[in-house]
Amino acid sequence: MKNNQFAIRPTEYKDQLVELQTIGFLDKDNESETDPIKLWKSFLSKSFLEAKTSSAFEEKLKTYMATDSLNLNEYLDSATNVSVSAFYNVALQLLKFNPDVDFSFSDPLGAMKKIQLMIADHNTDSFSIDELKSAWYWLLATHNKNGQTFIDYLATKGFFVRFYGKVNHPMLFNGKTLPVFDPHKLIREVVYVESPQDTDHDGKRDLLKAEVLRPQATENGLKVPVLYTASPYNQGTNDETGEKLTHNVNVTLKRKEPNNLQYSDIEYHEPDEKLPHPRVVNGQTKHAEEDFSRESSYTMNDYFLARGFAVVYMAGIGTKDSEGLRTTGDPDETTSTISIIKWLTGELPAFTNRIDNIEIKAWWSNKRIAMTGRSYLGTLATAAATTGVYGLKTIISEAAISSWYDYYRDGGLVIAPGGFPGEDADVLAEETFSRRLQPGDFHNVKDTWKQQIEKINQGQDRTTGDYNTFWDARNYHKNFKNITADVFMVHGLNDWNVKPRNVERLWNGIKHNGVTKKLILHQGQHIYINAFRSIDYNDIINLWLTHELLGVDNQAKEIIPNVIIQDNTKAETWNAYQDWASSNDEQIKYHLSSDKLITDDSKEQELSFNDQLDKKSFDFYVKHNDTWENDLLSSNEKLFKNRLLFKTDPLDDDLTIDGKTLVNLKVSSNQNIGLLSFQLVDYGLTKRLRVSPTLLSKNSLAGTFDWREDDLREFTYDKETPFKMISKGHLNLQNRENNYKVDELKPDVFYNVSVELQPTFYKLLKGHQLGLIVYATDFGMTVRGNQDIKYTIQTKDSSLIVPINK
């Protein structure tokens, strides 16, 4: 394996000593020790927490080998110094690496370098006292084979239990917070925040249920930062009724009436609606009336609950125990999202219940908030950041939508999120309308809800797929300029649910805001990466949040690279970059020629394909999208007449694509309708990383002692495959200028079109071929009309522009 640690903070020796003293490795019994053997033995005794007697400790020592012939107990009894080799033989075992598998006793330093583990400075083959202290410090900060720092592993064994109830402030090690707060004594309370909106039109401001978890130490005056996760799924979902709303995608592509629309014609403007008066406060209290047993938690939030952070969960308008209606990503949902932040900073009231109007303040909050979460959760974090709301210091937006049009539409077409054909904004609203789960409550709003669903269905416009006022209201790009919080983005390069365009537009859209932005791109699909072996994600976020929310000068902004990207050709390899998808990247221009991509000018040719399949094949692919995808990319004859394929010659060198590939075509349709789809493909037989992580160990990562666990995962190699899709894109040929202006499409007339494919960062290896597939119906994403439409392209005026990283 390879260890990739980006969050290790350079620390001077004098500060190392202070931190070792703070956590108890150096104390009055050993801090003046001059014998390295005795000091090392002292460090080890503090690490073997299960050994309560000297005899038990000796037995533990005997289970480790210091050299190829001496166990650790024998070595400590006979050696006069701590050799560097013996120290790292033991260190590797403490870090759970296996001799004869991961390292050999004859060359531990070689293994340390290969695995990319930190080796402490030393002047000779043996450690001096000072060098030993420093080596132990760095060992504590080093990741083990299971993806935890050694100090975090010791925490799971109970190392920090002795601090429970005795500290009233966060403790730090290597710039990151430590689990010194007892997570079993968390204060759990429910409050109802009054949001300045009335989405269910009942004449009262909406009350929103928030679930709060905070350290016991807050009862003694500790003010804590807050990790806030807005999750519409938090209070339950309506999968069955959502399924009933799912739209049929086996419908024909229809001609759209041409228009002359300007952006101003479809721009969203907030309606001028009179807001009900706030509730009259009937008293105040510091104690909630309601608690809860278990929240629908995010394991990264769990990790921080023992480290002096509070966590708040809110499902939002239209969810169980809250008021209002679901709206799927519009400004009303943004308002409900930031209402919790405004309560945490003292700007809005919350109540102990929905009847008595007894106010409860977030008196324990230090008014510094971070938003966390993936997918819809990260989306709402992005939406909140675009308001510039006070108190929101940073967002950690994972696989987040930055424009809902880019989620459910593309290029004037209805485009499904990968794996969910027929889903749309109305379906998602119904699935998350958990007020339905309380029949007594739902009874009061069912007619209003029916009208709301009809309104969303009409606004989303599945007939044309055009960008309209409905989608403009759900486009956060327009308000990127308002973002004042620092932004930490995480996204999968193989995420075809929330496609990479969403993160690229956020990344490049705030480059002039004066905020700090960081980005991690991984090789997975729509997943979390906080429990992966090969990258220190929790440590990175710990370093980040310690700075952002506690105000600690730990150099987080300098230490964490601007961009971290997982290599797609080597397992467990992550690399640091300055930027991604930069407009300054070099480009290669390929021309289309017959079945090739060439860098020389091409001759004029007309190449055609037809979108229609025989009924048997069509019906089969409707039910087997994976088979269709494989047949589309393969060189077999099944879809030969239904797509055009262009390939480069085998590459002379590795080629890294960085950003948005542009397809320029001169194309015609033999009808007055047409759609085009594109895929960029890596052709070459090799083992590739799976886009779904492999489970390495169930429930093996605990946040601290006797606390919630997570599964250890990693991207591993799949069997050899001859190709892999890199990126894709789509276009309605009537939307040649933009997504809201519709042009006429005359049969058999050639038009110039340009289509940006989804941004990527992808390395093709020497000997592989870069391929471009041009086709029409995308069985996984577009409508599937199986229409008899012939498409023709003229090669001389068609090209592929590929941005590259050198």
Side-chain angles (χ1 to χ4, degrees), residues 133-156:
K133 291 175 182 177
S134 186
W136 190 260
Y137 177 91
W138 292 121
L139 174 59
L140 290 169
T142 298
H143 261 215
N144 65 18
K145 192 173 181 178
N146 286 349
Q148 281 181 309
T149 57
F150 186 41
I151 197 167
D152 271 3
Y153 169 73
L154 293 179
T156 69

Side-chain angles (χ1 to χ4, degrees), residues 674-738:
L675 71 89
L676 287 178
S677 298
F678 307 89
Q679 289 196 25
L680 201 63
V681 185
D682 170 15
Y683 284 97
L685 186 64
T686 190
K687 287 186 176 181
R688 294 177 169 89
L689 295 174
R690 293 180 173 92
V691 297
S692 295
T694 299
L695 175 64
L696 300 182
S697 182
K698 186 75 174 172
N699 294 331
S700 62
L701 294 176
T704 188
F705 177 66
D706 190 28
W707 184 230
R708 296 174 181 175
E709 297 147 333
D710 206 348
D711 301 332
L712 181 65
R713 295 178 289 270
E714 190 54 66
F715 294 111
T716 58
Y717 284 119
D718 205 344
K719 61 185 179 182
E720 279 191 336
T721 54
F723 44 70
K724 183 185 186 320
M725 188 265 287
I726 302 170
S727 183
K728 60 168 53 182
H730 307 89
L731 178 70
N732 188 316
L733 289 178
Q734 287 194 260
N735 292 84
R736 298 185 296 277
E737 290 185 55
N738 57 54

Side-chain angles (χ1 to χ4, degrees), residues 55 57 87 103 111 141 209 219 243 267 323 342 352 374 434 486 589 608 636 731 743 753 781:
S55 296
F57 177 51
F87 180 88
F103 73 99
K209 177 184 180 181
E219 292 291 298
E243 180 69 26
E267 183 178 8
E323 297 171 348
K342 290 186 174 184
T352 58
R374 172 182 62 92
S434 51
D486 291 333
K589 183 175 183 178
S608 301
N636 64 41
L731 178 70
D743 292 314
V753 299
M781 291 187 177

